[in-house]
Amino acid sequence: MSRRRGVLLVLAFITIAVLVSGGGLLVLAALSTPQVSVPERATLSLRLDAPFSEIDPPDVLSQIIPRSSTLRATLDVIRKAKADARVRTLVIRPSASGALWAQLQEVRAAIEDFKTSKKPVTAFLESAGAAEYYLASAADRIVLMPAGQLDVTGLASYELFFRQALDKIGVYPDLLHVGEYKTASNTFTERGFTPAHREMSQSLNRDWYEQIVRAVAQGRTLSEAEARSALERGPYMGEGAVKARLVDELGYEDQLDDRGPMLGTQSIDGEQYGKGAPAGERREVGGRIALLYAIGTIASGKSSFDAPSGAVIGSDTFNQWLRKVRVDPGIRAVIIRIDSPGGSAIASEVIWREIMLTRDVKPVIVSMGDVAASGGYYMAAAADAIVADPGTLTGSIGVLTGKFVLRGTLDKIGIGVDAVSDGTFAQMNSPFRPFSPEERRRVEDQLQATYELFLKRVADGRRQATTKIDAVAQGRVWTGRQAREIGLVDELGGLADAVRLAKQRAKLDAAKDVDLVIYPPRRTLYDLISNPFGVSGGASAAVDALFRRPDVRMIQSATSMLNLFRRGEPLAILPNVFVH
């Protein structure tokens, strides 16, 4: 046993000892379901800290120290409050630094659904960018702090290019791709946009922006032209935001209940409210549906968490889940929630096969999160139906491979390299020289074969001709709205819509709730002892909080692909996109 693993085990045993000791009764009490007292006239105060985690962190600390709510937990709180007669009004406080659009759209849709109960919604903003304001625009009333700033100026997307830096240190990116728009390798081979890359990025940015404009117009009762004009005249200080009709009034948080719909109510914290028991009797359950989360890059082997790459979807782990739910007669349908930029084409094919086997037994519905592209879309192609948010990044049907040649770097620091080999292509994947012309031809043949298999999987799944899929493939990334128009997605919506569709396909009563059987399941005591921090490579999942920062995520997303390159393996991976 390594010294590091020994330390981790000691920490785990100490934690467990605290839990079972007399002094640990307080901790155990905290872990039990809290008894939340809800006033008869309550205002639910809900912080919306996006981006949200799709699943709970896997480490032992998450069993003790509360973390930010997951997306599903946040949506459940809003749904629960809608039906709770004691909750008279909702106050949201959006914070969405570095968030993409699909999650925001799911939360915004939940707020819109809450409003059908005729209960008013107030948004309070200390200051806000485009993402925070997008959420706030769903509210009946928007209050901005007097000194706050409304930083709406349009929408810009950024991408990083490392070629010049690699040249400086002597690294040559010998990368190949199939698909005119398969631009993930451009991160390392180019110094800026190619024409195709720019065209695709402009299309994505424009579609996202038009979705924001339409939402603001609807929420603020403006024409789309008025909403666009108002958004593009920013940024605004308080009075300017009111004059632009983007904000209703200025005020401080402590003044919210002095007037308006909060008057005469008592505030209750949204996180605590979500942990309490539901109000009234629970609706009758009409069946069980499995919900499998596919979060992170796709690789062979077991799922893990690797910093700085983040979560890894292991094909072995994910297929074990599929086999369990496939043979369980009590599970009537399967929903796969995908938030993945892709990864290994081989691992994606392995998972695709298992989804197809499951689809032969019971309905399989895919729900796409912020990103379900490349290898993520490879998985989705096997489903009976695909549901995506309008802002989801998807498609990217293409492949790439290659290697980073380090000879120049070694020359710079005075390290020589020599080799002996047997076999014509024994040094084909050598990191010390580029591909020869014949080696390059063989790699290109391999890539083309992988691309054609990818096309066939999608064409079969979408029941379309391969030539039609090829025309919208070529590695191109689409928004969910665009993907719906070209036939890559069946329906626009979030996880709740996927549940509705799964119930319909499984012939379950639409009026009854379902029990969701969640994978990954909660970790066992053995799991906590053997791997207390739920990590691979010695990094704690607690580090995930750091990598949610937008500035760090830019570097993390761009560099995580470096870890995916293995000897000649083709990759189905999304290019990095950052939105502000």
Side-chain angles (χ1 to χ4, degrees):
M1 179 188 299
S2 69
R3 180 175 181 177
R4 184 180 191 84
R5 187 159 183 79
V7 170
L8 292 177
L9 283 173
V10 169
L11 288 173
F13 279 120
I14 291 174
T15 302
I16 294 165
V18 170
L19 289 174
V20 300
S21 69
L25 290 176
L26 293 176
V27 179
L28 285 173
L31 288 174
S32 64
T33 302
Q35 297 300 313
V36 178
S37 176
V38 180
E40 285 304 313
R41 290 179 52 84
T43 288
L44 183 66
S45 179
L46 184 62
R47 293 195 65 87
L48 300 175
D49 293 321
F52 302 91
S53 295
E54 289 279 354
I55 55 177
D56 288 317
D59 56 339
V60 68
L61 296 178
S62 67
Q63 312 295 317
I64 304 169
I65 303 172
R67 303 287 180 87
S68 298
S69 294
T70 63
L71 175 63
R72 193 176 77 253
T74 300
L75 299 178
D76 284 346
V77 165
I78 298 173
R79 177 191 54 80
K80 173 183 169 184
K82 174 190 173 184
D84 191 339
R86 298 168 299 177
V87 176
R88 303 300 178 89
T89 181
L90 172 66
V91 174
I92 59 171
R93 294 169 172 79
S95 174
S97 178
L100 289 176
W101 295 105
Q103 284 193 348
L104 300 181
Q105 287 171 336
E106 292 205 37
V107 175
R108 195 179 191 282
I111 296 169
E112 291 283 0
D113 180 63
F114 177 90
K115 288 165 60 178
T116 63
S117 67
K118 307 302 181 183
K119 301 177 184 181
V121 180
T122 297
F124 176 73
L125 303 172
E126 293 181 356
S127 62
E132 289 88 356
Y133 185 72
Y134 174 80
L135 289 175
S137 67
D140 300 289
R141 167 186 174 228
I142 301 178
V143 180
L144 176 67
M145 196 171 71
Q149 179 172 315
L150 195 59
D151 187 16
V152 290
T153 55
L155 188 69
S157 301
Y158 302 90
E159 301 193 39
L160 301 180
F161 297 90
F162 291 92
R163 180 57 187 271
Q164 189 172 354
L166 294 177
D167 287 347
K168 286 183 176 181
I169 62 175
V171 174
Y172 173 63
D174 200 0
L175 308 178
L176 304 89
H177 65 270
V178 175
E180 182 182 6
Y181 296 94
K182 192 63 181 177
T183 56
S185 58
N186 290 6
T187 298
F188 306 104
T189 61
E190 307 295 332
R191 290 173 172 81
F193 286 123
T194 63
H197 196 165
R198 181 177 295 278
E199 176 197 343
M200 180 176 69
S201 296
Q202 287 176 333
S203 174
L204 293 172
N205 194 79
R206 186 179 303 113
D207 197 58
W208 275 332
Y209 187 48
E210 291 302 316
Q211 292 177 32
I212 296 169
V213 168
R214 284 192 291 271
V216 171
Q218 179 266 330
R220 301 301 298 166
T221 320
L222 302 169
S223 69
E224 288 189 18
E226 289 173 326
R228 183 179 292 103
S229 176
L231 291 173
E232 292 175 1
R233 291 200 309 269
Y236 299 95
M237 296 304 290
E239 291 295 344
V242 174
K243 290 179 180 178
R245 298 168 61 192
L246 296 178
V247 165
D248 294 293
E249 58 188 277
L250 304 180
Y252 292 96
E253 186 174 7
D254 60 274
Q255 296 175 321
L256 289 180
D257 57 359
D258 292 345
R259 56 192 181 277
M262 294 178 63
L263 191 64
T265 65
Q266 292 178 263
S267 182
I268 181 171
D269 177 76
E271 186 173 346
Q272 292 302 313
Y273 174 80
K275 293 177 180 177
E281 294 184 3
R282 190 172 185 272
R283 295 175 65 190
E284 185 179 354
V285 174
R288 296 164 69 225
I289 292 176
L291 174 57
L292 279 59
Y293 280 92
I295 311 299
T297 53
I298 301 170
S300 300
K302 293 184 178 181
S303 296
S304 62
F305 184 95
D306 290 294
S309 301
V312 175
I313 307 165
S315 56
D316 288 353
T317 301
F318 197 81
N319 284 353
Q320 286 174 3
W321 300 344
L322 284 168
R323 290 168 192 141
K324 285 183 179 180
V325 302
R326 185 166 68 239
V327 301
D328 187 337
I331 291 178
R332 301 287 299 278
V334 178
I335 298 171
I336 301 175
R337 173 71 172 186
I338 301 176
D339 191 357
S340 170
S344 164
I346 298 299
S348 301
E349 167 76 5
V350 169
I351 295 174
W352 171 88
R353 172 62 178 171
E354 206 66 39
I355 295 174
M356 288 296 294
L357 293 175
T358 305
R359 176 178 167 176
D360 289 340
V361 176
K362 55 192 66 175
V364 177
I365 309 296
V366 159
S367 169
M368 292 180 167
D370 275 333
V371 178
S374 210
Y377 191 83
Y378 202 127
M379 292 174 55
D384 291 290
I386 300 174
V387 180
D389 287 292
T392 296
L393 284 173
T394 190
S396 192
I397 301 167
V399 289
L400 64 96
T401 193
K403 59 183 179 179
F404 292 88
V405 180
L406 308 177
R407 184 60 182 261
T409 304
L410 299 180
D411 287 344
K412 285 177 180 290
I413 59 178
I415 297 177
V417 177
D418 212 340
V420 295
S421 60
D422 293 290
T424 305
F425 300 109
Q427 295 190 47
M428 183 170 175
N429 294 301
S430 167
F432 305 117
R433 65 167 179 81
F435 293 118
S436 69
E438 177 59 21
E439 289 169 345
R440 181 172 293 274
R441 185 186 66 79
R442 287 173 176 262
V443 172
E444 289 172 344
D445 288 346
Q446 179 192 27
L447 273 185
Q448 186 63 37
T450 303
Y451 176 66
E452 289 173 2
L453 180 61
F454 197 167
L455 287 179
K456 185 178 186 308
R457 297 306 187 217
V458 175
D460 290 346
R462 305 306 301 161
R463 298 177 178 85
Q464 296 182 21
T466 303
T467 52
K468 185 176 179 181
I469 296 299
D470 189 30
V472 298
Q474 296 295 320
R476 181 154 188 160
V477 184
W478 307 93
T479 66
R481 190 200 64 80
Q482 293 170 333
R484 174 67 180 84
E485 289 186 349
I486 61 177
L488 295 180
V489 164
D490 295 291
E491 188 173 319
L492 295 180
L495 184 57
D497 297 286
V499 172
R500 171 183 52 77
L501 194 55
K503 289 164 67 174
Q504 177 184 323
R505 294 292 182 104
K507 296 181 171 54
L508 296 174
D509 190 337
K512 295 180 180 179
D513 281 342
V514 292
D515 277 334
L516 293 178
V517 181
I518 309 297
Y519 287 84
R522 291 187 65 84
R523 303 181 76 212
T524 65
L525 181 61
Y526 173 79
D527 293 331
L528 293 175
I529 294 174
S530 61
N531 190 3
F533 296 102
V535 300
S536 172
S540 172
V543 176
D544 182 50
L546 169 64
F547 292 106
R548 286 163 63 85
R549 283 178 42 186
D551 53 339
V552 180
R553 286 177 72 208
M554 291 180 71
I555 304 298
Q556 173 229 344
S557 178
T559 58
S560 63
M561 191 169 69
L562 293 170
N563 297 328
L564 295 174
F565 281 99
R566 288 186 283 272
R567 290 178 57 91
E569 182 175 10
L571 299 178
I573 192 78
L574 181 77
N576 56 84
V577 180
F578 312 99
V579 182
H580 176 67

